[in-house]
Amino acid sequence: MKRVIIAGGNIAGTIVANRLAKKLDEELDKGEVEIVVLNNTDEHVYLPGQLLVAYGLENPIELKRKESELLDPRIKFLHGQKGTISKIDVANHSVVTADGLSHSYDYLVITTGVEYTWDEVPGYRSAALSPYEFDGALKMREALEKFQGGTVVVNVAKLPHRCPVAPLEVTLILDDYLRKRGIRDKTKIIYTYPTQGVFGRPITNKFMLKLFEERGIEVHSPFNVTKVDPNEKIIESQEGGKIKFDLLLGVPPNMGAKVIEDSGIGDRRRWVPTDKFTLRMKDQSNVYVMGDATDLPVSKAGSTADFESYIVAHNIANDIKGNMGIKHYGGDVLCYIATGTDTATYIRFSYTMNENPPPPSYVHWWGKIGYNKLYWTVTAKAVV
């Protein structure tokens, strides 16, 4: 029997596990293949929805499901201590879990995601509100409801980070939200970013700078945060900038999962070295890496994981069954970008294709909402 272990659940792990189950349908039924998902919890959170929760545009209960209910029933799912990964041993083709058991694999897919390393910036955790965590989104919603005007700073602590377009969305939804509440004229919005501009890709950067200018949003960049004083409410940068704020909306520093470092398989920020076309871990023929865990120069986003899942599932199935040919990942990404409380645009790009964001509209907003709604029934279950 061939065993495929998926190291990590949530978006990337769930989609690829279900896609593999479809590709290896007969082999699963005959008991020739076993697919195992290891995850520390049975809770599955739809992360992109947290931003909408923060602005009261989504109900928090819509964002959570049980992982066990999303996976194909033939997939073996271990969670809690049994699914918490303490070491990935690629030399011996095994994964050790917190209950002390060692699980051998024929194929491994690493989908361990990111961890937020708040403490890299002194004062950040206690000063910043962030939609990047479920509880943080609820706190942000509460603070915004009470907000009556002042200075709001939107800060990106470090690059790369999960969902690169989210800070743009935070800023543009905020602008519209405050206008609709009649307090935009009492508020200064300042956007800070570690490199020059507001976004890493030149075309989208130019597009967004124009939008920010039209909306009266100040940009301070490059701005690499060094510390935040939660009492004085001042954020400071390596470049010497100091900004006083009433609200700080932050993207905390991101690193790969700690288990990647503990296993000695990541770079200094704990990203796993990954071949950009095959999605194999470098120097490993039977280990694939997907989603936020990779060191690839593509967005760490749910749609990226979805695109990658086709490649990984196909190539593992080809290795097991043969005669299917090999597929390569082209760097495909699709990101909807909310530009207000009911308008959006989107960017679609790849290794060889540049994006061309259309003018913000209500139609693209419904595209974004529709994508979110279809996640549970279509995307997570790998229906298409």
Side-chain angles (χ1 to χ4, degrees):
M1 181 197 280
K2 299 279 189 196
R3 180 185 282 154
V4 184
I5 290 181
I6 317 286
N10 228 56
I11 294 177
T14 306
I15 297 173
V16 78
N18 284 331
R19 212 172 283 296
L20 261 170
K22 285 186 165 52
K23 290 268 182 194
L24 297 168
D25 188 50
E26 286 178 29
E27 290 75 11
L28 269 176
D29 286 344
K30 289 179 187 167
E32 294 168 3
V33 168
E34 182 180 46
I35 300 171
V36 183
V37 173
L38 303 173
N39 198 41
N40 58 355
T41 174
D42 188 25
E43 186 177 76
H44 185 111
V45 181
Y46 182 60
L47 302 170
Q50 291 174 174
L51 173 65
L52 299 180
V53 164
Y55 285 105
L57 299 168
E58 177 63 281
N59 187 332
I61 61 167
E62 292 294 320
L63 303 193
K64 291 187 177 184
R65 299 281 192 279
K66 285 209 175 299
E67 179 72 33
S68 47
E69 290 168 7
L70 292 170
L71 292 168
D72 184 301
R74 298 169 299 176
I75 293 167
K76 187 176 176 184
F77 175 51
L78 301 176
H79 58 94
Q81 290 287 93
K82 292 178 178 180
T84 300
I85 303 159
S86 49
K87 190 183 181 197
I88 295 169
D89 185 351
V90 293
N92 294 302
H93 311 294
S94 66
V95 176
V96 180
T97 43
D99 58 359
L101 289 181
S102 178
H103 307 262
S104 63
Y105 62 79
D106 295 286
Y107 298 95
L108 173 67
V109 185
I110 298 173
T111 56
T112 44
V114 309
E115 285 173 13
Y116 304 128
T117 50
W118 290 90
D119 300 336
E120 282 192 81
V121 181
Y124 207 85
R125 187 191 282 278
S126 51
L129 295 160
S130 180
Y132 273 74
E133 291 180 332
F134 188 81
D135 291 345
L138 297 177
K139 280 183 193 158
M140 183 170 150
R141 182 178 70 179
E142 207 176 307
L144 285 167
E145 282 167 358
K146 291 177 184 163
F147 184 70
Q148 293 303 320
T151 299
V152 184
V153 172
V154 179
N155 170 261
V156 177
K158 277 185 166 49
L159 300 174
H161 61 82
R162 177 180 263 166
C163 194
V165 301
L168 300 170
E169 296 185 292
V170 167
T171 311
L172 293 167
I173 298 176
L174 176 69
D175 169 73
D176 195 22
Y177 172 89
L178 296 174
R179 284 177 202 279
K180 285 180 176 163
R181 280 189 52 200
I183 54 171
R184 179 63 181 94
D185 57 342
K186 297 179 186 169
T187 310
K188 180 189 271 195
I189 301 174
I190 300 173
Y191 182 93
T192 70
Y193 198 65
T195 58
Q196 192 65 48
V198 295
F199 191 68
R201 294 185 66 88
I203 293 169
T204 302
N205 180 51
K206 192 178 171 189
F207 181 91
M208 287 295 162
L209 277 168
K210 186 170 178 286
L211 219 48
F212 276 32
E213 196 183 325
E214 285 167 7
R215 307 266 191 103
I217 295 160
E218 269 185 43
V219 175
H220 293 219
S221 68
F223 188 102
N224 287 276
V225 59
T226 48
K227 68 173 181 182
V228 183
D229 184 329
N231 301 316
E232 293 296 318
K233 296 195 166 184
I234 292 171
I235 182 168
E236 297 185 31
S237 77
Q238 192 180 297
E239 293 75 16
K242 283 189 183 186
I243 308 170
K244 194 156 173 47
F245 60 84
D246 295 290
L247 279 185
L248 174 62
L249 309 180
V251 180
N254 284 212
M255 282 176 87
K258 190 171 183 300
V259 69
I260 300 301
E261 181 181 28
D262 295 344
S263 306
I265 58 172
D267 62 17
R268 63 185 183 83
R269 297 291 296 172
R270 311 199 297 229
W271 310 121
V272 183
T274 307
D275 184 283
K276 66 188 280 194
F277 299 113
T278 65
L279 301 177
R280 282 194 178 105
M281 179 180 165
K282 293 213 169 131
D283 305 320
Q284 300 293 324
S285 61
N286 64 341
V287 180
Y288 291 84
V289 195
M290 264 183 61
D292 299 344
T294 75
D295 70 343
L296 297 181
V298 293
S299 299
K300 295 185 183 300
S303 77
T304 308
D306 190 18
F307 282 119
E308 290 170 340
S309 71
Y310 290 94
I311 310 304
V312 172
H314 177 91
N315 290 344
I316 291 175
N318 177 58
D319 270 0
I320 292 170
K321 295 161 74 157
N323 297 323
M324 290 166 66
I326 289 176
K327 285 189 174 176
H328 288 101
Y329 176 57
D332 298 283
V333 179
L334 168 69
C335 292
Y336 279 101
I337 309 172
T339 52
T341 56
D342 53 11
T343 62
T345 181
Y346 68 88
I347 51 175
R348 170 83 201 261
F349 57 92
S350 68
Y351 293 144
T352 55
M353 177 180 82
N354 282 324
E355 70 276 24
N356 181 21
S361 83
Y362 192 59
V363 173
H364 304 312
W365 169 260
W366 281 107
K368 181 181 175 72
I369 298 299
Y371 188 84
N372 287 357
K373 298 284 181 216
L374 288 171
Y375 175 73
W376 300 114
T377 51
V378 177
T379 313
K381 295 194 171 180
V383 170
V384 290

